[in-house]
Amino acid sequence: MTMQYWLVKQEPDSYPWSAFVADGATSWDGVRNYQARNFLRAMRRGDSVLFYASGDAKEVQGLATVSKAPYPDPSATEGDWVSVELKPKQAPSRPVTLAEMKADGALKDLLLLRHTRLSVVPVTPEQFERILKLAGR
DNA sequence: GCCAACGTTGGC
DNA sequence: GCCAACGTTGGC
């Protein structure tokens, strides 16, 4: 199985990158959107994930790994929802802002930009590499 | 604070 | 099954 790449979005007010790092690993639950759920369900252990902070931050702030394959969302009292466990890997040398990504031609098809309200989106290997490069890696 | 995008709900 | 109303998200 080849490695897949993803981007997850989070409001910095509710769960900042620093809290994620402090936790060491977290159950990524509470997703209540069918499209996002389907992407979560397609995640596999070892996949790479970009951590994007929305709201006031609007930037990719870190890199994470899927540490546990999809399982039923423990926070769901009804319905068929899933979560995965994510582990923070590292913060990039510097964050990559939404404005930068928007201005970058190589990222014009980034789903983050086209489906702004989706909290979990796939990223192509090329887009992933490009974002890491912008992050100074 | 406003507005656009868009998903969901409910009436018909 | 359609569509209007409404709620939520997120960028500006």
Side-chain angles (χ1 to χ4, degrees):
Chain A
M1 163 85 62
T2 51
M3 150 128 50
Q4 304 173 101
Y5 301 91
W6 309 93
L7 181 148
V8 296
K9 206 175 349 187
Q10 187 57 253
E11 273 281 348
D13 283 350
S14 52
Y15 196 68
W17 170 255
S18 58
F20 185 29
V21 170
D23 286 349
T26 196
S27 178
W28 207 263
D29 47 41
V31 172
R32 295 294 181 271
N33 169 284
Y34 290 109
Q35 227 183 328
R37 185 216 40 201
N38 293 343
F39 289 138
L40 276 184
R41 192 171 269 160
M43 288 187 181
R44 295 296 173 260
R45 190 182 154 86
D47 283 358
S48 285
V49 180
L50 295 165
F51 181 100
Y52 175 84
S54 59
D56 289 341
K58 293 188 282 292
E59 58 191 18
V60 171
Q61 296 182 334
L63 201 54
T65 310
V66 176
S67 48
K68 211 171 177 189
Y71 48 89
D73 185 335
S75 75
T77 53
E78 60 169 20
D80 184 19
W81 301 107
V82 301
S83 44
V84 293
E85 185 187 83
L86 297 183
K87 252 191 179 143
K89 212 165 155 188
Q90 64 183 108
S93 312
R94 57 179 199 83
V96 180
T97 67
L98 179 64
E100 270 180 284
M101 293 189 282
K102 273 186 163 174
D104 194 309
L107 296 175
K108 70 176 167 56
D109 293 327
L110 198 64
L111 281 184
L112 171 73
L113 307 178
R114 302 177 54 164
H115 296 276
T116 53
R117 297 184 59 213
L118 260 187
S119 59
V120 181
V121 289
V123 176
T124 68
E126 293 77 19
Q127 291 166 341
F128 188 83
E129 279 309 313
R130 182 65 188 160
I131 290 170
L132 286 192
K133 195 175 177 190
L134 292 174
R137 281 268 316 280

